[in-house]
Amino acid sequence: MAEARKVLIQVDQVKMYFPIKKKNLFNRHEVSVKAVDNISLDIYEGETLGLVGESGCGKSTLGRVILQLYRQTAGRIMFDGRDLHNLKGEELRRLRKDMQIVFQDPYSSLNPRLTVGNLISEALVAHGIMKRGSKELEEYTLNIMDRCGLQNYMLHRYPHQFSGGQRQRIGIARALALNPRFIVCDEAVSALDVSIQSQIINLLVDLKAQEKLTYLFISHDLSAVKFISDRVGVMYLGNMVELASSDMIFAEPLHPYTKALLEAIPTTEEESNKELQVLEGDIPSPVNPPSGCKFHTRCKYATELCSKECPVWHEHRPGHYVACHYPLMEKNV
């Protein structure tokens, strides 16, 4: 019998709405951008959960909500059995040591006035773990730098003196400094050259094994997601539309949107002469999303039911969740 996996993070019916004010000639009223709209999922200890979807679907917002950088509008987020929404002030601050983030832009996410050593060690000082200027802090910082592929001579240099890949290594070292249990990688390789992307992804894989980390890996690059992820979640317009193991998602996707994303992946295989499939139509506005299934306006298999009723998120087969009225329709056409 397979050993039950421990749930580290539980996301339960979470919503994140951003209110905005709209004006016209006659009145002024408030509407909301539904960035994350009723998402439920579990992240298991020691796994990498990939999160994919088009720009604006809410991937990064969900990552920030899990870290409580944004406070959710509704729903519950549990971290190792603790309800994060109930934590405030010093309690939440102490827990932040266990939850870190690697940002998309390795330049703007680093303070240009701080040296590499200070960037990596500032959180240790802020949490009172080590004293600023101590020999212990310098040795620990150099050790973290070495594990992330940074040389000792870089300790006193500034971010502008490094390449994009080196700056992202600095960002990873900063996230790793507090010995966290969970790291959100928010498009952590998208701003890098392809050759550098592979180095950073391999570094993340190695660190995960060494430090027993849990990742939420947010990316547009499906090839990178396939390589690094144990499971993959697919988001569309604030909703989770499919979630399964990486193998299941790439071999037998159930949702038409997932299938469309996979069919749009360019291939270098000589024997493949298929034309890339392109999703037609624009992404609807998250302020005023379509009724029923939000994807029905772009889905070639949509019926009248899809425009009227929102599909139920359910486990279609063991470990494979989907929100679609006709998840196997494409195979029957």
Side-chain angles (χ1 to χ4, degrees):
M1 184 175 179
E3 185 179 349
R5 294 180 294 175
K6 179 182 177 182
V7 175
L8 180 63
I9 295 171
Q10 183 181 10
V11 178
D12 184 21
Q13 297 182 329
V14 166
K15 298 179 181 181
M16 185 67 229
Y17 294 173
F18 294 97
I20 57 174
K21 293 181 179 179
K22 298 188 73 174
K23 298 179 182 179
N24 57 35
L25 291 174
F26 305 103
N27 59 24
R28 179 176 179 177
H29 62 284
E30 189 173 275
V31 296
S32 295
V33 176
K34 299 177 180 179
V36 174
D37 195 11
N38 203 35
I39 285 184
S40 296
L41 60 87
D42 293 334
I43 302 177
Y44 297 104
E45 191 170 49
E47 81 164 341
T48 298
L49 177 64
L51 195 58
V52 301
E54 294 170 287
S55 295
C57 71
K59 305 184 302 297
S60 295
T61 301
L62 178 59
R64 285 164 168 74
V65 169
I66 291 175
L67 295 177
Q68 294 294 284
L69 298 178
Y70 300 147
R71 289 285 191 160
Q72 68 265 28
T73 305
R76 185 179 65 165
I77 298 173
M78 307 290 290
F79 182 88
D80 201 17
R82 303 179 69 183
D83 189 341
L84 296 184
H85 197 66
N86 292 333
L87 300 181
K88 294 178 175 62
E90 186 61 26
E91 277 189 307
L92 182 59
R93 181 175 174 273
R94 285 198 299 267
L95 194 61
R96 290 203 185 281
K97 292 187 292 183
D98 292 329
M99 306 181 297
Q100 293 293 305
I101 185 170
V102 178
F103 293 98
Q104 176 178 357
D105 188 343
Y107 188 75
S108 62
S109 62
L110 300 176
N111 189 333
R113 298 186 177 186
L114 295 182
T115 63
V116 170
N118 287 332
L119 284 166
I120 296 172
S121 63
E122 64 175 339
L124 294 162
V125 175
H127 282 275
I129 298 173
M130 295 181 186
K131 292 184 178 180
R132 189 183 302 277
S134 67
K135 186 67 175 177
E136 179 189 20
L137 179 61
E138 181 176 333
E139 290 176 353
Y140 183 82
T141 302
L142 290 172
N143 179 263
I144 294 290
M145 290 173 59
D146 180 63
R147 282 149 60 188
C148 294
L150 298 167
Q151 303 300 315
N152 288 2
Y153 73 86
M154 300 177 178
L155 184 70
H156 301 295
R157 293 194 174 184
Y158 292 86
H160 72 272
Q161 297 175 284
F162 297 94
S163 67
Q166 290 173 324
R167 285 196 288 263
Q168 198 59 291
R169 289 177 184 271
I170 296 168
I172 294 171
R174 179 178 61 178
L176 201 66
L178 288 172
N179 195 26
R181 299 170 61 189
F182 173 65
I183 297 179
V184 173
C185 301
D186 184 13
E187 299 279 5
V189 297
S190 65
L192 308 177
D193 293 336
V194 175
S195 59
I196 305 302
Q197 286 183 15
S198 60
Q199 294 177 18
I200 297 301
I201 289 173
N202 285 330
L203 172 63
L204 291 172
V205 171
D206 292 341
L207 290 173
K208 176 189 172 184
Q210 296 167 10
E211 309 296 329
K212 296 180 173 57
L213 296 169
T214 302
Y215 290 142
L216 176 62
F217 187 82
I218 301 168
S219 180
H220 290 100
D221 189 339
L222 291 171
S223 299
V225 169
K226 183 179 181 180
F227 176 79
I228 198 173
S229 302
D230 301 300
R231 292 188 302 145
V232 177
V234 182
M235 283 187 67
Y236 182 78
L237 208 62
N239 291 124
M240 190 73 69
V241 297
E242 189 164 0
L243 175 65
S245 69
S246 181
D247 291 339
M248 282 185 179
I249 288 286
F250 284 88
E252 296 184 86
L254 295 178
H255 198 282
Y257 178 62
T258 308
K259 294 172 186 177
L261 289 179
L262 297 179
E263 288 173 352
I265 301 175
T267 178
T268 57
E269 296 177 9
E270 294 181 3
E271 65 274 13
S272 176
N273 295 316
K274 73 172 184 178
E275 185 178 346
L276 293 180
Q277 302 298 312
V278 180
L279 270 173
E280 296 182 358
D282 296 325
I283 302 176
S285 169
V287 176
N288 186 27
S291 60
C293 175
K294 293 180 181 178
F295 185 61
H296 84 266
T297 57
R298 304 172 73 193
C299 180
K300 58 184 177 180
Y301 305 105
T303 67
E304 187 177 354
L305 175 66
C306 300
S307 64
K308 292 182 177 180
E309 292 186 18
C310 184
V312 177
W313 178 253
H314 67 283
E315 189 173 16
H316 186 78
R317 54 194 179 200
H320 199 154
Y321 297 84
V322 67
C324 182
H325 292 300
Y326 308 107
L328 294 178
M329 188 171 184
E330 199 168 39
K331 293 186 178 181
N332 298 326
V333 172

